[in-house]
Amino acid sequence: MASMKCKSESSPSPSSSSTRHWKYEVFLSFKGEDTRYNFADHLYAALKQKGIITFRDEEELKRGKSISKLFEAIEESHIAIIIFSKNYACSKWCLKELAKINECRKEIGLIVLPIFYNVEPADVKKQTGTFEQAFIDHQKCFEVNIKEVETWRIALKEVANISGWHLQNRPESEFIQDVVKEMMEKLSSKSSSITKNFIGIESTLAKFIPSYLNFENNICMIGIYGMGGLGKTTLARVVYDKFCGQFEGSSFITNVREDSKKHGLPKLQQQLLADILEDKNIVIRNVYDGVDIIEKRLCRKKVLLVIDDVDHLDQLEKLAGGHDWFGLGSKIIITTRDERVLIQHRVRKRYNPNGLNNDDALKLFCLKAFKNEQPKKGYMQLSQEVVKYANGLPLALVTLGSFLVGRTIDEWQSALPSFKKTKGDIFNILKISYDGLEEMWKEIFLDIACFFRYWKKNQVMHILENCGFNARIGISILVEKSLLSVDGNEHLEMHDLVQEMGEKIVCFESKGKLGKQSRLWLNNDLLHVLKDNMATNAIEAIVVGYKKKDFKFEEFLEVLSKMSNLRLMIIDKVNLGFPNDQRHLDFPNQARHVNVPNQLRHLSWNFYPLKCLSFSSQPMELVHLELRHSYLEYLWQGVMVI
């Protein structure tokens, strides 16, 4: 590291800053004529490329009316980087900026890091050389207050005394990489901030990092395996967040098992490359091109790659086929429920995390059940019994805690026998929370589990409300029960096992008969129902996406009339041609319409293939009709009252 170690004045404790919410992560202070179009611009671009929110004043602002906006940005920043260059002190604007930065360092804990760009640190600290001449000029200027000049001198001396970077004779690109690397570490590698919401993670990291994640210059694949709900993805995420700044590129590929089925491996290869190379324009046409590009583009790059929830060897072979795909020092972390996949891929370092110990398990459970790390008075023994049934599984502890929150001791005691019957089986534990829901909330949960994971919350609420559900309250209740969560981008999320439980409930209720399944979400299942004429009035909802090559949906449309209780149908067809290109559409037997079930409330069908809709009677329930890129000539024959 090009860090210049010198005696540093003590900064105020950052305790006050740790609770602040910053608008900017980094504030750049520099002299425009020295560095705006070279070093400062390159540093700004490198910080921005790493996703670091950086404030850089524009030339227009300096010509503007007031410096107050700059001061505001300084106060709203977490770190200030000051680029001391030859003419930095010649600018009254820069010195005012510097004084404000030094003030914020002392008063609100702003982290200040100086860069000495083609100047000697001693010249800045002692104000010699060009810095001496600059202050002589300022003192001659009648517009400048002598007291203010003295404040600038003190700020220069104090900030120059802080450990920072001295460019000296190093290549600028290499120097900038070091600065950005340290920024990433300061902003994202504070163990206390990363792990504060993960009970027991500190002890797990203490075991995992020294034994499995050495930072030697070798290329290493590490597997984390074990049953669902154990915290494998959480561990991988914490490790990734903690160390990604130490690599030239990084990517966290989530839900490989599910996404490879839905979107295919080329989509995941594309994400991997886009993340690591920071290029969103990469297009992968097929899985073999993806393999070739990954090998060629990453073989000399030190990367941190997490491949989460793998269940087939083919996924690893196409995403991280061998050690020689990546540069020296690369680490590839793989999470899976199946250790055999790791063995087949010759992953030698394999870690099987234990469940939480009793103390951590009780703490996690109590945080959910009581919003406190300890049980309420009279609940200790009951809490210990529940923790015992959860068998140290974090997901089970969270789910049971959410189920019991606010309940009386009598209610806890009546629930304990059902916990005993679970025998620690995670699906049975999760189903306890589901069984405690009212019927409408169960329907909302099953719809989300089968169809709407990762969808936008507002979009899903709109669809569910069209179906007659009180979606806003329902989603809120599911979040309270830890069966659902909403991420920072307002997308709906749930644990893999919670989603699987929902799908299993639907399959179990139909006794394995697809035609009697209340919800159809897999293309192959829908195809079987249509081809084998298995449809019944038990089918309530269909949400699928398919390509023309998958099957010709329009050949089986008459089967829809048997689904008399169908309330929701979303058909998202990906057209392989252009919307108005009739060569890509076949009309079966010159059919002109389809009989739509009268109970249908929400119909959305991209590239609807026929010329009109038809209802056997008045469709009084229809609330939403969306037929984008359709081939409709008219909606229906005759007069229809809705």
Side-chain angles (χ1 to χ4, degrees):
M1 182 73 196
S3 180
M4 183 195 72
K5 301 298 179 186
C6 56
K7 187 177 179 182
S8 173
E9 291 183 6
S10 59
S11 296
S13 169
S15 59
S16 60
S17 64
S18 64
T19 56
R20 293 171 63 94
H21 296 285
W22 309 107
K23 184 175 180 179
Y24 305 105
E25 292 174 303
V26 171
F27 178 95
L28 279 185
S29 175
F30 58 93
K31 172 64 174 152
E33 69 183 59
D34 288 348
T35 62
R36 178 178 296 281
Y37 299 112
N38 43 67
F39 181 80
D41 186 58
H42 300 155
L43 177 59
Y44 175 76
L47 291 166
K48 189 176 177 183
Q49 196 173 48
K50 285 294 184 182
I52 296 173
I53 303 168
T54 305
F55 180 91
R56 173 186 65 171
D57 68 292
E58 300 299 334
E59 203 66 53
E60 291 76 16
L61 182 58
K62 288 210 170 183
R63 298 187 193 126
K65 301 173 183 176
S66 171
I67 199 171
S68 60
K69 288 199 174 189
L70 269 181
F71 285 2
E72 211 173 279
I74 292 168
E75 291 170 354
E76 294 174 335
S77 297
H78 184 34
I79 297 172
I81 296 178
I82 302 168
I83 303 171
F84 288 124
S85 57
K86 185 178 178 181
N87 295 301
Y88 185 90
C90 296
S91 167
K92 294 190 288 290
W93 188 285
C94 286
L95 292 171
K96 287 179 179 181
E97 241 179 48
L98 177 69
K100 180 65 176 178
I101 288 169
N102 199 41
E103 176 189 311
C104 290
R105 177 181 71 88
K106 296 174 179 178
E107 293 183 2
I108 61 174
L110 174 67
I111 298 170
V112 179
L113 298 168
I115 291 175
F116 301 94
Y117 180 78
N118 293 335
V119 295
E120 289 299 320
D123 285 345
V124 181
K125 193 185 308 182
K126 297 175 183 178
Q127 289 138 47
T128 56
T130 59
F131 286 79
E132 180 181 22
Q133 184 59 48
F135 275 95
I136 291 172
D137 294 341
H138 290 318
Q139 286 173 329
K140 289 179 181 178
C141 179
F142 67 90
E143 295 177 359
V144 178
N145 185 297
I146 296 300
K147 287 185 179 179
E148 187 175 22
V149 173
E150 189 58 32
T151 302
W152 297 345
R153 284 186 179 278
I154 293 168
L156 261 179
K157 183 178 180 180
E158 290 180 351
V159 171
N161 207 37
I162 297 171
S163 294
W165 299 274
H166 188 190
L167 178 62
Q168 294 176 311
N169 296 317
R170 293 188 60 197
E172 284 190 14
S173 59
E174 180 186 292
F175 181 85
I176 286 172
Q177 284 180 12
D178 283 347
V179 174
V180 172
K181 180 181 176 182
E182 186 155 326
M183 287 303 98
M184 293 289 287
E185 290 173 2
K186 286 185 178 296
L187 291 167
S188 63
S189 299
K190 299 289 180 70
S191 177
S192 59
S193 63
I194 290 175
T195 61
K196 64 182 179 182
N197 294 321
F198 299 118
I199 305 299
I201 197 69
E202 290 284 8
S203 57
T204 303
L205 287 173
K207 295 175 189 173
F208 179 77
I209 291 173
S211 302
Y212 295 87
L213 195 69
N214 68 73
F215 288 97
E216 296 171 3
N217 210 29
N218 60 330
I219 302 163
C220 186
M221 289 193 183
I222 307 113
I224 305 174
Y225 70 95
M227 68 179 293
L230 198 55
K232 303 182 296 297
T233 300
T234 298
L235 172 59
R237 183 83 244 180
V238 170
V239 170
Y240 179 85
D241 288 343
K242 189 176 178 67
F243 296 110
C244 63
Q246 299 183 19
F247 294 80
E248 294 173 0
S250 59
S251 180
F252 195 113
I253 310 294
T254 60
N255 303 305
V256 170
R257 173 172 54 90
E258 182 181 333
D259 285 354
S260 62
K261 292 175 187 174
K262 285 185 177 179
H263 309 299
L265 286 170
K267 186 79 172 177
L268 300 181
Q269 292 173 323
Q270 191 168 306
Q271 180 191 336
L272 186 157
L273 287 164
D275 289 346
I276 293 175
L277 299 176
E278 296 170 341
D279 182 357
K280 295 181 180 179
N281 296 318
I282 293 173
V283 176
I284 304 297
R285 292 180 176 82
N286 60 65
V287 73
Y288 303 105
D289 282 352
V291 167
D292 188 52
I293 295 171
I294 291 171
E295 281 190 83
K296 287 180 178 177
R297 299 288 298 274
L298 303 185
C299 63
R300 291 180 179 85
K301 204 169 184 71
K302 179 183 176 182
V303 306
L304 175 61
L305 172 62
V306 176
I307 308 174
D308 174 54
D309 196 19
V310 169
D311 67 341
H312 285 296
L313 177 62
D314 184 58
Q315 295 158 355
L316 289 178
E317 289 177 338
K318 300 303 188 294
L319 293 170
H323 289 66
D324 57 345
W325 285 27
F326 308 99
L328 289 176
S330 293
K331 309 299 172 193
I332 294 87
I333 299 173
I334 303 153
T335 75
T336 180
R337 299 183 198 175
D338 187 355
E339 188 186 11
R340 289 176 301 171
V341 176
L342 301 174
I343 295 170
Q344 290 169 348
H345 200 55
R346 299 182 181 178
V347 178
R348 292 186 176 87
K349 290 191 172 186
R350 302 189 297 274
Y351 178 61
N352 179 214
N354 298 316
L356 296 177
N357 61 42
N358 284 337
D359 289 342
D360 286 335
L362 182 63
K363 186 185 295 184
L364 178 59
F365 171 76
C366 289
L367 282 172
K368 280 294 174 182
F370 306 108
K371 311 301 179 189
N372 199 301
E373 292 186 1
Q374 294 295 323
K376 286 168 61 177
K377 185 177 180 181
Y379 284 83
M380 175 59 86
Q381 186 175 345
L382 290 167
S383 297
Q384 288 173 336
E385 288 190 56
V386 176
V387 167
K388 177 183 175 183
Y389 302 139
N391 204 24
L393 289 176
L395 179 61
L397 290 160
V398 167
T399 305
L400 290 176
S402 299
F403 173 75
L404 291 167
V405 65
R407 298 185 186 272
T408 65
I409 288 177
D410 288 342
E411 288 173 319
W412 278 52
Q413 289 172 336
S414 66
L416 284 176
S418 63
F419 295 169
K420 292 178 181 178
K421 291 177 184 176
T422 66
K423 298 179 180 177
D425 181 85
I426 186 65
F427 282 107
N428 290 333
I429 290 172
L430 294 176
K431 195 168 182 298
I432 289 171
S433 198
Y434 169 81
D435 289 338
L437 297 172
E438 293 180 17
E439 286 306 312
M440 183 179 287
W441 314 145
K442 286 181 179 179
E443 294 296 317
I444 291 174
F445 168 77
L446 293 177
D447 273 2
I448 294 172
C450 294
F451 304 135
F452 301 129
R453 187 182 179 190
Y454 305 127
W455 285 45
K456 277 279 190 182
K457 176 184 171 183
N458 286 341
Q459 184 184 9
V460 175
M461 284 199 303
H462 174 70
I463 294 169
L464 294 174
E465 285 167 357
N466 288 343
C467 292
F469 298 137
N470 193 333
R472 189 175 298 276
I473 295 175
I475 286 174
S476 176
I477 287 171
L478 295 179
V479 170
E480 289 172 3
K481 301 294 184 186
S482 297
L483 293 171
L484 185 67
S485 61
V486 182
D487 70 14
N489 295 316
E490 289 292 298
H491 289 97
L492 298 181
E493 176 60 290
M494 59 175 55
H495 194 283
D496 291 345
L497 291 180
V498 176
Q499 182 184 33
E500 288 174 30
M501 176 190 70
E503 293 173 347
K504 283 187 175 183
I505 289 169
V506 172
C507 295
F508 178 78
E509 288 175 347
S510 68
K511 298 181 180 178
K513 295 179 180 179
L514 285 176
K516 294 186 176 181
Q517 206 166 280
S518 63
R519 293 159 179 84
L520 294 171
W521 61 92
L522 297 176
N523 286 351
N524 287 338
D525 289 352
L526 178 59
L527 179 60
H528 282 308
V529 169
L530 296 175
K531 284 181 70 175
D532 299 336
N533 200 15
M534 297 161 55
T536 69
N537 60 6
I539 299 172
E540 299 176 16
I542 298 170
V543 179
V544 295
Y546 78 102
K547 295 179 181 179
K548 178 73 180 252
K549 64 181 182 180
D550 293 340
F551 62 89
K552 294 182 178 179
F553 198 108
E554 54 267 29
E555 292 182 358
F556 310 103
L557 295 176
E558 68 278 1
V559 182
L560 286 175
S561 60
K562 295 185 178 181
M563 305 179 190
S564 57
N565 288 318
L566 190 69
R567 58 176 166 82
L568 167 65
M569 185 160 70
I570 299 176
I571 307 294
D572 187 12
K573 175 184 171 184
V574 179
N575 199 33
L576 300 181
F578 296 98
N580 297 319
D581 187 350
Q582 297 297 320
R583 292 173 297 172
H584 294 276
L585 182 64
D586 300 319
F587 293 103
N589 302 318
Q590 299 300 310
R592 295 176 62 85
H593 66 266
V594 57
N595 286 321
V596 178
N598 296 314
Q599 298 300 313
L600 194 63
R601 297 177 65 93
H602 184 107
L603 173 59
S604 176
W605 193 331
N606 285 353
F607 299 99
Y608 174 71
L610 303 182
K611 296 183 180 180
C612 80
L613 291 170
S614 176
F615 295 82
S616 57
S617 62
Q618 301 291 345
M620 299 299 292
E621 303 298 326
L622 191 62
V623 175
H624 181 98
L625 178 62
E626 184 178 349
L627 304 172
R628 295 177 185 269
H629 309 300
S630 73
Y631 298 85
L632 278 175
E633 294 180 0
Y634 46 90
L635 275 175
W636 42 64
Q637 293 176 324
V639 178
M640 190 70 67
V641 180
I642 298 181

